[in-house]
RNA sequence: GCUCCCAUCGUCUAGAGGCCCAGGACACAGCCCUCUCAAGGCUGCGACGAGGGUUCGAAUCCCUCUGGGAGCGCCA
């Protein structure tokens, strides 16, 4: 029976997720969904020093927000769990024993200083730095001596010499490595903590992962991990290495260089669909030109359309997808999105009115906030161009507008007709000063609905204020 | 230092020897529409990193250079 295609995302909770992580996660998720397979989330928290519960919670929240639901992982345990590496110590111990028993791994007592010196000399000689093999053939006696001296060994994998390793990378094609280019690598630190190479590969195999998508920086790890799994008699997944995401300066995105985290983008009001639509097209061809609904994303993802060159993150592109995302928001979702940025309770139904008015006029919730004041509070001081608009029209215009309002009411077509009859103004000459007086600015939603949403008294007093401000005789 | 990878408009990309004096999207500029902003429509700007080959013909194949990236850890 063939296993369902299974992918995974395996973050370390040592910080917030950034866009590069998000893209890797998204692609893995889409690959699974496109094939009707499974998506697993595994937490690589073996480094208790740097991992934190708070980061873990934040990462899980960010992934859920992006729409990446895992079939197995934290909160969705199954027989292959636990899905936190910090809870898998017994499993690792068992495999360490086996590796050592069968001669695939050996204890190494070399000090870090010794190794650093060796590395330096190798580098100076123009050789690649590699473990010199000092402890490789250490007998029982030698070990006993080190132990007696109180040294704690690391466990090293014995890389078989003289072999050529070949495999197909899911995105980069055929790869070939020589085992002679790979030094014996560490599987377990002296303090007993398992290292990435080991638990990452082992867990993938144990959790039934069939396709691993990860950053290009892991490409050279792949032969080691395949070697390791082979020694354990486990089936290795297929690996695909995604090109890195780089910033405008061409340097890889990293949190410490100010790359925005997913969480920050979210706090700034970006919509998950905007992020996903952008990411789908970053270093990946074949997506249609227009907006793709989140649920349809998987249908547009194909591994063979993933590029091999580093992709630049460009916020103006993200902004475009944000615009699309807002456009495709329904009213309820829009209210949820805008809600937190609006004042507590501008009054019954007021919030819904605001949302309806602003739906197509703002890109971020922050831009909506000032409108709450415009509609239901005191008018902020007019902008410069609004003020110019006011003076261009003059007090007579606003006096006429006030009189017209008493006759026609707040219905824009009727009101405009009445004002036109009294002032001779029409079109832009009529609407723009009206807008300026009513909102204190020159941009914003359509005037008709705006007028209908404003209390009649507010309209009156703002027209009067404009008349006074422009110098009523 | 050594090994490996990558290279088309500002950005994401199409392009797998003639369909390409290179197509699309975003951005930018202009025009139209319009009470404004946005949206929408139209037009424009804009690239095969350089040099050598191979070929009747190269963005596509080969070589060199340049530029960028990755890896070589008791980091993940």
């Amino acid at each position: 029976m063939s296993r369902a295609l299974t992918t995974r995302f395996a973050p370390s909770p040592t910080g917030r997720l950034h866009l590069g992580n998000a893209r890797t996660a998204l692609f893995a998720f889409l690959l699974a969904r496109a094939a009707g397979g499974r998506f697993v989330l595994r937490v690589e928290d073996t480094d208790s020093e740097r991992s934190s519960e708070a980061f873990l919670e934040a990462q899980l929240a960010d992934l859920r927000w992006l729409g990446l639901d895992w079939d197995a992982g934290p909160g969705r345990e199954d027989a292959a769990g636990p899905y936190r590496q910090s809870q898998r110590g017994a499993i690792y111990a068992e495999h360490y024993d086996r590796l050592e028993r069968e001669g695939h791994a050996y204890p190494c007592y070399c000090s870090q200083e010794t190794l650093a010196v060796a590395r330096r000399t190798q580098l100076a000689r123009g050789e690649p730095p590699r473990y010199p093999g000092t402890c490789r053939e250490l007998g029982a006696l030698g070990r006993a001596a080190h132990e007696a001296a109180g040294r704690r060994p690391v466990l090293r994998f014995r890389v078989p010499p003289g072999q050529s390793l070949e495999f197909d990378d899911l995105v980069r094609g055929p790869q070939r490595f020589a085992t002679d280019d790979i030094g014996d690598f560490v599987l377990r630190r002296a303090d007993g903590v398992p290292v990435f190479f080991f638990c990452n590969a082992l867990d993938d195999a144990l959790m039934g992962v069939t396709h691993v998508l990860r950053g290009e920086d892991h490409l050279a790890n792949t032969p080691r991990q395949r070697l390791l799994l082979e020694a354990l008699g486990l089936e290795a997944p297929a690996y695909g290495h995604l090109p890195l995401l780089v910033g405008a300066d061409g340097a890889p995105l990293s949190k410490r260089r100010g790359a925005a985290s997913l969480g920050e983008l979210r706090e700034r009001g970006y919509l998950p669909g905007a992020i996903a639509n952008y990411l789908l097209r970053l270093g990946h061809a074949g997506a249609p030109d227009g907006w793709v609904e989140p649920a349809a994303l998987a249908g547009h993802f194909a591994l063979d359309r993933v590029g091999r060159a580093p992709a630049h993150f460009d916020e103006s592109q993200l902004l475009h997808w944000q615009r699309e995302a807002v456009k495709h928001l329904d009213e309820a979702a829009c209210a949820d999105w805008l809600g937190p940025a609006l004042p507590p309770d501008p009054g019954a139904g007021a919030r819904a009115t605001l949302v309806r008015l602003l739906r197509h006029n703002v890109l971020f919730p922050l831009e909506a906030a000032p409108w709450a004041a415009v509609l239901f509070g005191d008018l902020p001081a007019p902008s410069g161009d609004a003020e110019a608009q006011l003076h261009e029209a003059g007090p007579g215009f606003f006096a006429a507008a006030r009189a017209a309002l008493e006759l026609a009411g707040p219905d824009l077509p009727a009101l405009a007709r009445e004002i036109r009859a009294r002032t001779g103004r029409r079109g832009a000459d009529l609407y723009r000063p009206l807008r300026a007086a009513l909102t204190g600015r020159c941009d914003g939603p359509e005037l008709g609905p705006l007028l209908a949403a404003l209390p009649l008294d507010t309209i009156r007093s703002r027209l009067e204020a404009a008349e006074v401000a422009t110098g009523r005789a």
Side-chain angles (χ1 to χ4, degrees):
Chain A
M1 147 185 144
S2 74
R3 296 178 296 171
L5 183 147
T6 302
T7 66
R8 52 77 164 171
F9 181 58
S12 293
T14 56
R16 297 293 296 257
L17 260 19
H18 59 74
L19 270 188
N21 301 325
R23 186 176 67 142
T24 305
L26 177 69
F27 283 12
F29 172 79
L30 295 179
L31 178 61
R33 288 291 172 266
R38 301 189 330 127
F39 176 62
V40 171
L41 186 69
R42 179 178 69 236
V43 181
E44 308 222 325
D45 56 351
T46 53
D47 184 347
S48 57
E49 289 292 302
R50 300 200 302 144
S51 300
S52 88
E53 211 56 30
F55 280 137
L56 174 60
E57 286 310 317
Q59 291 187 346
L60 297 185
D62 287 345
L63 290 171
R64 284 197 196 92
W65 173 76
L66 231 203
L68 311 191
D69 298 309
W70 46 97
D71 303 298
R76 300 203 68 171
E77 295 291 341
D78 62 15
Y83 285 91
R84 294 182 62 161
Q85 291 186 328
S86 57
Q87 296 166 357
R88 295 174 64 81
I91 296 168
Y92 300 147
E94 179 190 320
H95 287 85
Y96 281 135
D97 283 350
R98 230 185 92 199
L99 247 13
E100 200 171 348
R101 213 165 48 234
E102 294 173 3
H104 289 119
Y106 59 90
C108 164
Y109 295 88
C110 297
S111 74
Q112 301 205 45
E113 296 71 44
T114 313
L115 294 174
V117 169
R119 253 195 302 275
R120 265 198 300 277
T121 2
Q122 287 169 325
L123 235 27
R125 275 205 300 263
E127 294 167 8
R130 214 162 279 146
Y131 177 64
T134 319
C135 297
R136 215 169 197 229
E137 308 304 338
L138 207 58
L141 238 57
R143 284 175 201 173
H146 278 117
E147 294 285 346
R151 284 192 269 275
R152 308 295 311 145
V154 303
L155 191 66
R156 269 185 201 278
F157 185 79
R158 190 187 300 275
V159 176
Q163 287 186 19
S164 175
L165 293 170
E166 290 173 38
F167 61 92
D168 263 309
D169 187 276
L170 258 14
V171 339
R172 315 185 81 89
Q175 306 288 319
R176 189 208 304 255
F177 290 85
T179 56
D180 290 340
D181 288 339
I182 303 172
D184 290 354
F185 53 91
V186 173
L187 297 176
R188 185 181 59 209
R189 303 194 328 206
D191 60 7
V193 174
V195 309
F196 166 81
F197 283 127
F198 174 78
C199 33
N200 180 267
L202 179 62
D203 284 344
D204 281 338
L206 260 24
M207 292 171 180
V209 172
T210 61
H211 296 246
V212 170
L213 251 34
R214 42 159 42 164
E216 181 196 318
D217 47 334
H218 290 291
L219 181 59
N221 296 334
T222 310
R224 292 164 230 265
Q225 297 193 304
R226 290 178 54 96
L227 239 23
L228 176 64
L229 291 177
E230 194 185 338
L232 285 167
L234 294 170
E235 192 176 337
Y239 292 93
H241 293 89
L242 268 17
L244 261 25
L245 219 49
V246 300
D249 55 357
L253 244 42
S254 76
K255 2 192 177 216
R256 62 174 306 273
R257 288 190 52 268
S261 70
L262 248 202
E264 272 162 24
L265 294 174
R266 173 187 182 181
E267 279 145 28
R268 273 156 61 188
Y270 277 105
L271 265 355
I275 307 270
N277 264 269
Y278 178 44
L279 256 19
L280 178 70
R281 294 162 172 91
L282 237 193
H284 176 254
D289 280 347
W291 172 255
V292 175
E293 286 298 332
L297 249 20
H300 295 288
F301 178 78
L303 258 189
D304 59 0
R305 310 294 298 184
V306 174
R308 278 128 296 170
H312 290 76
F313 167 68
D314 177 358
E315 188 151 5
S316 76
Q317 309 260 337
L318 216 206
L319 232 33
H320 169 255
W321 293 111
Q322 170 74 354
R323 191 167 287 131
E324 288 292 317
V326 173
K327 207 189 298 179
H328 287 85
L329 227 42
D330 64 41
E331 210 170 301
C334 194
D336 291 342
W337 174 61
L338 247 27
L342 301 178
D345 182 29
R351 188 173 274 222
T353 306
L354 247 182
V355 168
R356 211 171 313 116
L357 275 173
L358 293 175
R359 266 183 76 179
H360 303 297
N361 279 276
V362 299
L363 232 41
F364 296 101
L366 229 49
E367 299 170 17
W371 284 98
V374 168
L375 278 154
F376 306 113
D378 294 327
L379 195 62
S383 66
D385 45 354
E387 185 134 23
Q389 206 58 247
L390 256 28
H391 281 96
E392 184 278 323
F397 173 83
F398 297 109
R402 285 172 63 199
L405 179 67
E406 296 315 321
L407 225 81
D411 173 65
L412 187 62
L415 180 65
R417 217 176 301 122
E418 199 59 39
I419 297 176
R420 182 182 170 186
R422 290 158 188 267
T423 64
R425 281 181 176 254
R426 52 186 296 193
D429 288 341
L430 188 159
Y431 290 103
R432 282 152 84 157
L434 204 52
R435 169 183 293 279
L438 261 20
T439 68
R441 49 199 288 178
C442 291
D443 63 344
E446 279 185 282
L447 201 48
L450 213 47
L451 199 66
L454 283 169
L456 195 57
D457 285 342
T458 304
I459 303 177
R460 276 200 193 96
S461 62
R462 286 184 185 174
L463 288 177
E464 186 178 357
E467 188 185 341
V468 171
T470 53
R472 174 165 53 181

